[in-house]
Amino acid sequence: MTRNQRLVALAALILLALVPAVVTDTYTRHIFIVAFIYGTVAVNWDLSLGLAGLFNFGHLAFFGIGVYTAAILTTALDISPWLAIPAGGVTAAIAALVIALPVAKLQGIYVVLVTFAFGQLCMQVVLSQGDLTGGAEGLVRLPYLSIGDYAFIRDFRFAYYYVALGLLTVSVISLLLLAHSPFGKSLRAVRDNPDYAAARGISVARQRVLVLVASAVFTGIAGGFYAIYLRVASPEVFGFSVATLILSMVLIGGAGSILGPVFAALALTFATEAMAGTRGLEEARFIIVAAAMITVLRIAPSGAINIFSRFLTSGRKT
Amino acid sequence: MDGVLIPTLVSGLLLGSLYALMASGLSLIWTTLGVFNFAHGALMTVGAYFAWTVSEQLGLGLFTGFVAGIGAAVIAGVLIELLLVRPFYGNRSMMLITVMTTLAASTILERGISIIWGPRLKQLPRVVEGQVEIFGAPVSAHEALIIVLAPVVLLALWWYTGRTRSGRSLRAVGQNASSAALIGIDVPRTFSLAFGLSAALAGLTGVLLGSIRFVTPGLGTDPLVNAMIVVIFGGLGSMGATAGAAYVIGMMEALLILWLGLYWTPAVLFMALILVLVFRPNGLFGRAA
């Protein structure tokens, strides 16, 4: 990352931290909070898909696992949401480890199929275990976050805003540190030239396991927070539509760039929320997002997806 | 045990037939273009809804409905090829990009269907009424028809791709597109042909499924996951292995439902798949690429 990019990121963070001083209505803050959560999911997907070039299409499963971990722990076991949210990160990481076992050895389309099927199977399990998960209706009325007597929903979601922003910031900073570490460099080496990387002693299989687990941690925590914040867990999080939305954030923001998907997440969340509030567009917004994603892929197939080539040139600087 | 086992095997046969129809459509596109069509399930749904509109809403009869459903799926399939796959030929990351574009197409079709037809459940009438017995197990005649029809369709497809000129051109393009072009095969037309044929299979599966299950916007996308498990198991390379894997998975699923119940079957099936892949990364019957 260049110095300019770092300055832009820092300026953006300061601006976002000041937003609650200006924006005082609950609804706008709510969209910001959702955008921060989606942004966290998108940047972590970018780690496996963009930075490591791993064809992971089951990323939303980690998010959904976080959602349901927090929801089940707080409803069935009465555990405090403060513990249930990070627990989502733990279960997501364990799930990532399980899925990484076959993925470490597979090639090309089979990686796509296995990870995708994994996400859909998580949904089937959630739907079938109705006693625990609430089935198709999901779980509702989860406990909310509070410290002492102060509920985080108060003061127009003031506290929730900063928790969400904090989550996104910590996640982005860890990813940037990771991307610039020797490990991150070896990830790009494997992505850009797997044969050469293997010849230099990098274990592709080990990399894939580590990347999947690393990308699952914050995604699971984001899922846990999402459930507690909205106070519901619904099987929709595993569906095609949410996956398409987050994927379009990664692609439109520029895969492999980490900061790009954050800005795309903010823009797209506001755009889709605005469409959700417009009559006649409630369903159509998913179509519009999908069409936008196709357009980006058509206009800049190797520009938006720099999984293979773009970082060959700009990657030297990062 | 006898009283339960035979009906279970018959229902496994039914599942296997449906998976074989779906998976052979996926495999056809994969072997010809190297593209995995994530919108295949949505094409099934398109077929079922058009068949419902023509046969039930317009009252033109089931046969006309079937033709309309399959025709609509073919048109949608060819459009997907033209708009979402063709622009990326020759791109180094074509496989990955087309995964995303067909995934987007699936969302567009599914949401579009739910906007046009609304959330109310619909059902197609059965092709044939009444019941038949297979090895003493009572089966509805419609399901028996699917069980008989699937191998016939697969054999016809096998004959077509192996014995006819245009069918063999599909395989030639799949093996080496530039050499195929050199000997005078119209490669882009062959790509459309593969997509159209696969979409016709999807439409057929959709209309058949539409009279067993309720027609919903998710009609095709739900069984698509199992069709994926089939193609991972069998490998995408050969139609025979894919069809074989479809019946194996169908039988396994039916037996697992009998032993473990409906709830745990998907998870156990998936765990079995992961185990197979850990030891055989190219699928059960697959060969190294």
Side-chain angles (χ1 to χ4, degrees), chain A residues 49 55 57 98-99 101-102 105-110 112-121 123-125 127-131 192 236 240-244 247 251 280 282-284 286-288 290-291 293-294 297-299 301-302 305 307-309 312, chain B residues 30 35-36 38 82-84 87-88 91-93 95-97 99-101 103-112 114-115 221-222 224-226 228-229 231-232 234-237 262-267 269-271 273-274 277-283:
Chain A
L49 188 69
F55 302 164
F57 281 82
V98 173
I99 195 68
L101 288 178
K105 285 183 166 182
L106 294 175
Q107 292 297 324
I109 187 70
Y110 294 105
V112 177
L113 294 179
V114 168
T115 49
F116 189 87
F118 173 68
Q120 298 301 303
L121 271 138
M123 175 152 80
Q124 288 192 11
V125 169
L127 287 176
S128 64
Q129 302 300 311
D131 296 341
D192 294 335
E236 227 172 62
F240 268 46
S241 304
V242 185
T244 312
L247 182 62
L251 293 178
E282 298 98 333
E283 282 274 341
F286 292 101
I287 297 179
I288 294 168
M293 187 171 101
I294 292 169
L297 285 168
R298 278 198 66 163
I299 294 171
S302 55
I305 304 189
I307 291 167
F308 293 94
S309 50
L312 281 178
Chain B
W30 176 260
V35 165
F36 189 90
F38 270 88
L82 272 179
L83 298 173
L84 304 180
F88 306 110
N91 190 304
R92 274 207 297 166
S93 39
M95 188 276 279
L96 186 61
I97 294 177
V99 164
M100 299 180 194
T101 53
L103 205 57
S106 176
T107 299
I108 292 174
L109 288 175
E110 209 179 310
R111 293 282 169 169
S114 100
I115 290 172
T221 29
D222 299 339
L224 184 69
V225 186
N226 291 48
M228 272 179 204
I229 292 185
V231 296
I232 302 168
L236 273 163
L262 200 58
Y263 286 176
W264 283 109
T265 299
L269 210 57
F270 189 67
M271 279 300 171
L273 172 78
I274 287 186
L277 286 174
V278 168
F279 295 107
R280 291 192 62 95
N282 287 300

Side-chain angles (χ1 to χ4, degrees), chain B residues 162-219:
Chain B
R163 294 280 178 277
T164 65
R165 201 179 160 75
S166 70
R168 283 155 77 113
S169 74
L170 287 175
R171 290 180 26 180
V173 168
Q175 282 161 12
N176 190 330
S178 36
S179 303
L182 274 179
I183 59 168
I185 294 173
D186 186 344
V187 175
R189 222 206 61 184
T190 311
F191 284 159
S192 300
L193 178 70
F195 250 91
L197 205 57
S198 170
L201 279 169
L204 176 70
T205 325
V207 291
L208 290 173
L209 197 62
S211 36
I212 310 178
R213 299 186 189 166
F214 285 114
V215 180
T216 63
L219 174 84

Side-chain angles (χ1 to χ4, degrees), chain A residues 228-311:
Chain A
I228 297 298
Y229 169 65
L230 291 178
R231 303 186 66 196
V232 284
S234 104
E236 227 172 62
V237 290
F238 293 107
F240 268 46
S241 304
V242 185
T244 312
L245 179 64
I246 309 269
L247 182 62
S248 63
M249 292 170 184
V250 177
L251 293 178
I252 293 171
S257 67
I258 300 196
L259 284 177
V262 176
F263 294 110
L266 276 169
L268 277 173
T269 310
F270 271 92
T272 51
E273 281 298 322
M275 285 189 271
T278 314
R279 254 157 60 90
L281 283 181
E282 298 98 333
E283 282 274 341
R285 68 196 156 123
F286 292 101
I287 297 179
I288 294 168
V289 169
M293 187 171 101
I294 292 169
T295 314
V296 166
L297 285 168
R298 278 198 66 163
I299 294 171
S302 55
I305 304 189
N306 43 26
I307 291 167
F308 293 94
S309 50
R310 210 176 76 183
F311 254 75

Side-chain angles (χ1 to χ4, degrees), chain B residues 18 22 39-49 69 73 113 199 201-207 209 219-221 223-224:
Chain B
L18 289 168
M22 288 186 75
H40 197 79
L43 291 176
M44 287 169 56
T45 319
V46 168
Y49 271 96
I113 284 167
L201 279 169
L204 176 70
T205 325
V207 291
L209 197 62
L219 174 84
T221 29
L224 184 69

Side-chain angles (χ1 to χ4, degrees), chain A residues 77-250:
Chain A
L77 297 173
D78 263 340
I79 286 174
S80 150
W82 285 109
L83 290 173
I85 292 173
V90 176
T91 49
I94 295 170
L97 196 62
V98 173
I99 195 68
L101 288 178
V103 163
K105 285 183 166 182
L106 294 175
Q107 292 297 324
I109 187 70
Y110 294 105
V111 176
V112 177
L113 294 179
V114 168
T115 49
F116 189 87
F118 173 68
Q120 298 301 303
L121 271 138
C122 285
M123 175 152 80
Q124 288 192 11
V125 169
V126 163
L127 287 176
S128 64
Q129 302 300 311
D131 296 341
L132 209 55
T133 62
E137 281 92 49
L139 292 168
V140 291
R141 279 186 287 164
L142 308 179
Y144 44 78
L145 276 181
S146 55
I147 294 178
D149 283 339
Y150 184 77
F152 276 32
I153 196 110
R154 278 168 53 187
D155 298 326
F156 309 104
R157 310 192 179 192
F158 186 75
Y160 270 130
Y161 182 93
Y162 284 104
V163 174
L165 181 60
L167 178 69
L168 176 66
T169 312
V170 171
S171 186
V172 167
I173 291 175
S174 341
L175 283 176
L176 287 174
L177 288 176
L178 191 143
H180 294 265
S181 69
F183 177 66
K185 288 185 180 122
S186 72
L187 287 182
R188 285 202 293 273
V190 170
R191 176 193 67 191
D192 294 335
N193 196 337
D195 294 334
Y196 182 62
R200 293 298 300 263
I202 298 171
S203 161
V204 178
R206 185 174 148 269
Q207 294 255 12
R208 286 184 169 185
V209 175
L210 288 173
V211 160
L212 277 177
V213 173
S215 74
V217 173
F218 279 108
T219 309
I221 296 174
F225 177 67
Y226 187 70
I228 297 298
Y229 169 65
L230 291 178
R231 303 186 66 196
V232 284
S234 104
E236 227 172 62
V237 290
F238 293 107
F240 268 46
S241 304
V242 185
T244 312
L245 179 64
I246 309 269
L247 182 62
S248 63
M249 292 170 184
V250 177

